[in-house]
Amino acid sequence: MFLLNLMQKYKTDSPKLNAVEQEIGEGLKEPTLIVYKDGDSNSLVNSDAGSHTSLLEPNGTDYDVKAEIQQIQQKNVSPPSEEKNQGQLHQKTDKREAIAKPQPRRVTDEKVKGMKDQLIRAKAYLNFAPPASNSHLVKELKLRIKEVERAVGDATKDSDLSRSAVQRMRSMEASLLKASRVYTDCSAMATKLRAMTYNTEEQVRAQKNQAMYLVELASRTTPKGLHCLSMRLTDNYFMLQPEERELPNQHKLNEPNLYHYVVFSDNILACAVVVNSTIFSASEQEKIVFHVVTDAINLPAIKMWFLLNPPGQATIQIKSIEDFEWLSSKYGSMLKIQDSRDPRYSSSLNHLRFYLPEVFPALNKIVLLDHDVVVQRDLRGLWRVDMKGKVNGAVETCREGDSSFRRMDMLINFSDPTVAKRFDANACTWAFGMNVFDLREWRRRDLTAVYTKYLELGKKRELWKGGTLPLGLVTFYNQTVPLDHRWHILGLGYESGLGRGEIERAAVIHYDGNMKPWLEIGIGKYKGYWNRYVKYDHPFLQQCNIHE
């Protein structure tokens, strides 16, 4: 009897075993390819779940058969066609998984905006109530305003809100509905909202004006650390013997075949960065001659800095504006006629750039660098620029869309008939800060006399804004040759939106504007280009608490 039952069981199971052996011999079959449309993502998931459930369930019978088949295949070498089919199967499975993968949730702020709108409406309704009113509706609105303000807080997107925020929003909406039934005068509501809008705009305007004033005030102030550094360097300078105060290589100062640069500044760190960055980027340091012109007060400190930190193989000269005796006797009164609240515009040091041929009578060509620039490339190519008979080589700023865009009429008063007759309002503007000057052509055309003439005209009536740029535009009118824009970019002293790639491609980057990199108000994302050339580990900087 036992033998009979065993034989019957064998007959029942044998077709299954034969089917397995047959499937092994023929190779694993590829599932039927199904093409889905973009809109069938739901049917795709359902179809996969239905047709392959047995393969995905570890406890299913088909799963055990597949595992057994894989064990048998490991003992045998699969034919190439089978490997290809298996690769296609995995590729299709990956595609289906990618399609079925849930997309990231979109960040929204609809609830935040709605709650802020509720606050505005609630405050408008409160303004309709009498001043001493203490009605139930007024109390309710005040309570709802506090609740919603607490719920919103500093949230900028809906995910920042707490769970109770939605309930607060609903409660506020119910209170607003009550208020709308009480105060149904739409025209009065519109008038009240307009008044609230006007008052808010006035407050914003006042805040902006105050912020601008504080930024401008900060830009004129010498940081405490820089003042400390100047005092320490000055003290050390006067402790030196007269022969120890001399800088090396002074015999190169008047050699016209070298690369001469001039900086007018009363800022020690700014001068150091300009000199350090220029020398670091140069391939022929021994041919570089720097002329730093400052005032008598800052000369000892700046000179002491470069005695302690010599500029490698380059040559440096530190001069005071008081050393040019001819300047005070010949042009002294002219340098002081510009009336400006900002000392940067009325400074004699700032206007000395218009006397370069007389400051350097032995030179034929010189490059002017403002003290708020950083040099990132070798500048010797400037001496090979074809000046085309012009005096000034500069980067133009008349391309619309650029952060540095300027028009002539933004700086010069073309309503004056004298100005309108002499200059074209559509003429291209250019930038001060990195300029190459042909001093021989300057002397030949006597452009310093042109400058003094326009300076006198500006004293009699308001023809242009304060500063040296408008005077430069009229002095070098039709005497400027445009340079490639990669030589000089502006906009690092304010939020100009300059990109990293544009900055790093430029030969000279300029921190024009109020937010200088040595000030606390300097823009953080731009400060790094300036900081890399400051010796923050210097003992004097450490003692004066000047840090990166």
Side-chain angles (χ1 to χ4, degrees):
M1 188 68 177
F2 172 78
L3 182 60
L4 182 60
N5 292 335
L6 182 62
M7 291 177 64
Q8 290 176 351
K9 185 176 186 300
Y10 175 77
K11 288 180 180 180
T12 304
D13 294 343
S14 59
K16 295 182 179 179
L17 295 175
N18 291 337
V20 172
E21 291 174 357
Q22 184 178 1
E23 190 175 54
I24 294 172
E26 294 176 358
L28 185 63
K29 293 184 178 180
E30 180 179 346
T32 305
L33 177 62
I34 302 175
V35 180
Y36 297 92
K37 298 180 180 179
D38 293 340
D40 296 333
S41 58
N42 293 331
S43 62
L44 172 64
V45 176
N46 295 334
S47 175
D48 284 346
S51 60
H52 299 289
T53 303
S54 60
L55 295 177
L56 298 175
E57 295 177 356
N59 295 327
T61 305
D62 291 342
Y63 177 85
D64 296 335
V65 172
K66 181 181 176 183
E68 184 178 355
I69 292 173
Q70 290 177 346
Q71 290 178 0
I72 295 172
Q73 286 177 336
Q74 289 176 358
K75 298 178 182 179
N76 303 294
V77 179
S78 301
S81 61
E82 182 177 346
E83 294 178 358
K84 181 177 180 180
N85 291 338
Q86 289 178 351
Q88 292 175 350
L89 176 61
H90 291 307
Q91 186 175 3
K92 292 183 179 70
T93 304
D94 293 341
K95 289 181 179 179
R96 291 171 182 172
E97 290 177 353
I99 296 173
K101 185 177 179 181
Q103 297 297 323
R105 297 182 63 183
R106 182 181 176 184
V107 177
T108 61
D109 59 352
E110 293 179 2
K111 292 179 182 178
V112 173
K113 290 180 177 178
M115 295 176 79
K116 291 180 178 180
D117 179 66
Q118 286 181 334
L119 289 172
I120 294 173
R121 290 159 57 198
K123 291 176 181 179
Y125 281 127
L126 279 180
N127 285 328
F128 278 92
S133 176
N134 199 24
S135 66
H136 177 73
L137 180 59
V138 170
K139 290 180 180 179
E140 184 176 343
L141 285 174
K142 289 181 179 179
L143 176 62
R144 296 289 179 255
I145 288 173
K146 290 181 180 179
E147 290 176 348
V148 173
E149 285 178 341
R150 192 179 299 113
V152 174
D154 297 328
T156 57
K157 52 185 182 295
D158 292 349
S159 58
D160 296 335
L161 298 173
S162 63
R163 293 181 179 179
S164 62
V166 177
Q167 182 58 41
R168 305 293 186 195
M169 191 175 182
R170 291 173 182 168
S171 301
M172 172 64 92
E173 195 62 37
S175 299
L176 290 173
L177 182 61
K178 294 179 185 178
S180 66
R181 293 170 181 168
V182 175
Y183 305 111
T184 57
D185 191 346
C186 294
S187 60
M189 173 64 76
T191 303
K192 182 66 71 173
L193 288 174
R194 279 196 295 269
M196 292 174 64
T197 302
Y198 176 79
N199 291 335
T200 303
E201 289 176 349
E202 285 297 311
Q203 292 176 8
V204 171
R205 189 178 296 109
Q207 292 290 338
K208 285 184 176 179
N209 291 336
Q210 185 178 9
M212 290 174 59
Y213 172 77
L214 292 175
V215 168
E216 189 174 342
L217 182 64
S219 67
R220 302 183 196 178
T221 306
T222 302
K224 184 178 179 180
L226 283 181
H227 181 73
C228 166
L229 178 62
S230 180
M231 293 299 99
R232 288 184 177 273
L233 289 169
T234 301
D235 182 58
N236 279 261
Y237 178 80
F238 286 110
M239 292 174 64
L240 297 176
Q241 297 297 322
E243 61 273 11
E244 295 175 328
R245 299 175 185 175
E246 295 299 322
L247 292 163
N249 300 326
Q250 297 299 289
H251 63 279
K252 294 184 176 181
L253 297 179
N254 295 320
E255 293 186 16
N257 295 326
L258 301 179
Y259 305 137
H260 292 265
Y261 300 88
V262 60
V263 181
F264 300 102
S265 175
D266 56 2
N267 187 311
I268 300 166
L269 281 187
C271 289
V273 168
V274 176
V275 173
N276 291 345
S277 62
T278 304
I279 294 171
F280 180 82
S281 305
S283 58
E284 296 178 301
Q285 297 182 8
E286 68 281 358
K287 292 185 177 181
I288 291 178
V289 181
F290 256 101
H291 306 269
V292 177
V293 182
T294 184
D295 52 33
I297 295 176
N298 291 282
L299 184 138
I302 295 178
K303 200 167 186 179
M304 188 67 203
W305 175 265
F306 287 107
L307 285 170
L308 295 173
N309 306 277
Q313 297 176 306
T315 301
I316 189 165
Q317 176 192 35
I318 314 296
K319 295 283 287 183
S320 168
I321 192 172
E322 282 78 9
D323 293 337
F324 307 118
E325 297 179 357
W326 53 266
L327 186 64
S328 58
S329 61
K330 193 174 181 181
Y331 301 107
S333 59
M334 296 302 303
L335 289 172
K336 298 178 181 179
I337 65 174
Q338 270 216 329
D339 183 19
S340 175
R341 293 178 300 172
D342 194 334
R344 296 172 300 171
Y345 294 156
S346 58
S347 169
S348 300
L349 200 60
N350 209 21
H351 284 260
L352 194 60
R353 64 187 64 197
F354 293 102
Y355 302 93
L356 285 175
E358 296 170 270
V359 174
F360 303 105
L363 302 182
N364 298 324
K365 186 176 285 189
I366 197 167
V367 170
L368 168 71
L369 294 175
D370 276 356
H371 73 169
D372 54 354
V373 306
V374 173
V375 178
Q376 302 185 130
R377 300 284 183 271
D378 192 345
L379 299 183
R380 60 178 178 171
L382 291 174
W383 272 263
R384 296 193 294 269
V385 171
D386 182 6
M387 298 294 287
K388 301 178 182 179
K390 307 291 186 180
V391 176
N392 173 32
V395 168
E396 293 180 336
T397 57
C398 54
R399 294 195 304 185
E400 291 194 27
D402 286 356
S403 59
S404 58
F405 169 73
R406 297 185 185 95
R407 295 191 313 268
M408 290 281 284
D409 59 0
M410 294 168 63
L411 302 167
I412 299 174
N413 180 16
F414 277 89
S415 63
D416 187 280
T418 305
V419 172
K421 182 179 179 180
R422 297 186 183 185
F423 307 105
D424 180 6
N426 296 319
C428 201
T429 56
W430 45 268
F432 258 141
M434 197 287 299
N435 306 77
V436 53
F437 290 109
D438 186 334
L439 299 183
R440 290 178 297 185
E441 194 67 23
W442 187 330
R443 295 184 189 100
R444 192 179 73 81
R445 296 180 180 274
D446 196 13
L447 292 186
T448 300
V450 175
Y451 159 77
T452 56
K453 180 182 68 174
Y454 287 132
L455 201 59
E456 288 178 341
L457 285 175
K459 182 181 179 181
K460 297 176 182 177
R461 53 187 183 275
E462 189 175 349
L463 297 179
W464 30 72
K465 290 186 177 181
T468 57
L469 180 57
L471 282 167
L473 293 175
V474 296
T475 301
F476 299 106
Y477 186 72
N478 288 333
Q479 294 298 324
T480 301
V481 60
L483 301 178
D484 189 290
H485 279 77
R486 290 172 293 182
W487 277 114
H488 181 202
I489 66 166
L490 302 93
L492 281 79
Y494 55 93
E495 286 289 356
S496 58
L498 287 172
R500 181 176 178 180
E502 187 178 2
I503 294 173
E504 294 181 350
R505 285 192 297 269
V508 175
I509 57 177
H510 195 167
Y511 292 83
D512 58 315
N514 289 326
M515 300 179 183
K516 304 299 184 186
W518 54 82
L519 299 174
E520 290 292 331
I521 60 174
I523 301 175
K525 62 183 177 181
Y526 298 148
K527 275 189 174 183
Y529 302 101
W530 191 82
N531 287 336
R532 67 180 63 169
Y533 296 105
V534 180
K535 297 182 178 180
Y536 285 107
D537 57 348
H538 194 283
F540 282 1
L541 270 65
Q542 294 287 323
Q543 293 167 15
C544 292
N545 200 28
I546 299 176
H547 303 289
E548 188 171 353

